[in-house]
Amino acid sequence: PELGDGEYKYTTRAQDKAGNISDFSEVVVVNADLIAPSEPTITFVEDTNPKDGKLNKAENGSDSDNANTTAKISVPTDAVVGDVIKYTVNGGTEQSHTITNADKTAGHVEIKVPVVDGQTSTVTAKIVDQAGNASKEVSGSIDSDFTAPNVKITGIIDNVEGGVYKGNVAGTNTNDNKPTIKGTADANQEVVLYDNNKEMGRVTADKDGNWEFKSSDYKEPLADLVGRVHVIKAVVTDAAGNTSEATSALEVDTTIGAPKVSIKEDADH
């Protein structure tokens, strides 16, 4: 009959052609282990900021090994010392790791996974117990993107008469406390504008990568900082979490000075 999981005890005896029957043999114990272990889980250690299945440049640079990332394969609670983790990395040859006491205590094993910018790295894993039962094979993957997005400030345009009206005042001074800021970025990329690290507002680049931060986009006007500068910063963050920024300095003075009057002395009076 088909055996279920558990312990079975057997004895045997022989009968010859004359009908003589031997005594029973010693008891033989058979342990049937037909239950597969639980499947493991796979996590990528450096995928943290954000945890999104993508590995950006900052995440990959969190340790000294930029050519690899680390994957954790969990040791299920029903796995025991001596069971084997069978795994593959990036579709390569299946490898084996026998579970140790240290692995059980840690709850996982760590493996190195090569990563390349613009490519996807994969890991598969399963647990095979000492009876040969195999868990369900699981897989995990991570996309590597180490390329920083593009952003530039191409101009800061004065919109108030009396100064450099309609001119580019980037790096100089202006009497406009809400000048138009223009720049470029990757297509459809959100651009966050800061004034001395305080957010001024946000704008999105068009399909051609051009963006324009208008006076109506300001959360509040730029303060007068005569003799000091505003550091205008444009920051972009791509889908993987890579960040780039561009900066430009600007001095703002909207104070209207009193008119100067000069009197020419009449020599005859």
Side-chain angles (χ1 to χ4, degrees):
E2 183 176 338
L3 301 180
D5 195 67
E7 181 181 275
Y8 295 86
K9 296 179 180 180
Y10 295 93
T11 61
T12 60
R13 58 181 178 176
Q15 181 177 357
D16 62 19
K17 294 180 180 180
N20 300 302
I21 299 174
S22 70
D23 294 332
F24 282 101
S25 67
E26 294 182 359
V27 174
V28 176
V29 178
V30 176
N31 288 300
D33 180 359
L34 307 176
I35 299 176
S38 301
E39 67 267 21
T41 59
I42 299 169
T43 56
F44 292 90
V45 174
E46 293 179 314
D47 181 21
T48 58
N49 188 29
K51 188 175 182 63
D52 56 0
K54 297 180 176 66
L55 190 67
N56 61 46
K57 185 175 182 178
E59 290 172 328
N60 187 48
S62 62
D63 59 22
S64 59
D65 185 1
N66 292 335
N68 299 279
T69 191
T70 300
K72 285 184 178 180
I73 303 174
S74 70
V75 177
T77 55
D78 59 355
V80 299
V81 173
D83 288 351
V84 175
I85 299 175
K86 290 186 176 292
Y87 66 92
T88 66
V89 175
N90 293 338
T93 302
E94 185 175 74
Q95 302 179 61
S96 298
H97 174 87
T98 301
I99 296 171
T100 66
N101 280 310
D103 298 332
K104 281 290 290 182
T105 300
H108 65 270
V109 298
E110 295 186 355
I111 61 172
K112 291 293 185 181
V113 181
V115 291
V116 177
D117 186 22
Q119 296 188 17
T120 300
S121 298
T122 60
V123 175
T124 68
K126 63 184 176 182
I127 308 295
V128 179
D129 67 19
Q130 293 162 66
N133 300 301
S135 74
K136 175 185 175 182
E137 184 176 82
V138 297
S139 63
S141 65
I142 192 163
D143 298 324
S144 296
D145 181 354
F146 309 143
T147 303
N150 298 302
V151 64
K152 290 182 180 179
I153 296 175
T154 57
I156 301 178
I157 309 303
D158 186 321
N159 300 308
V160 176
E161 294 184 5
V164 188
Y165 184 53
K166 298 298 183 182
N168 185 1
V169 293
T172 61
N173 52 64
T174 180
N175 63 341
D176 185 357
N177 59 11
K178 288 185 177 181
T180 299
I181 306 171
K182 295 183 177 183
T184 59
D186 295 326
N188 305 313
Q189 174 71 60
E190 182 182 59
V191 182
V192 185
L193 277 298
Y194 294 88
D195 168 30
N196 296 332
N197 294 319
K198 180 180 180 181
E199 184 178 327
M200 297 192 298
R202 301 178 178 224
V203 69
T204 301
D206 63 22
K207 63 181 179 62
D208 297 317
N210 299 306
W211 56 268
E212 186 171 307
F213 189 79
K214 302 176 181 179
S215 60
S216 58
D217 296 320
Y218 282 78
K219 291 185 176 182
E220 58 185 47
L222 298 173
D224 282 11
L225 293 177
V226 181
R228 294 181 292 142
V229 298
H230 291 268
V231 178
I232 307 300
K233 182 165 60 177
V235 179
V236 296
T237 304
D238 66 16
N242 297 298
T243 299
S244 294
E245 63 181 52
T247 60
S248 181
L250 183 70
E251 182 178 331
V252 176
D253 181 4
T254 61
T255 303
I256 300 175
K260 294 181 180 180
V261 179
S262 61
I263 300 175
K264 184 176 182 181
E265 185 177 349
D266 189 338
D268 294 331
H269 295 85

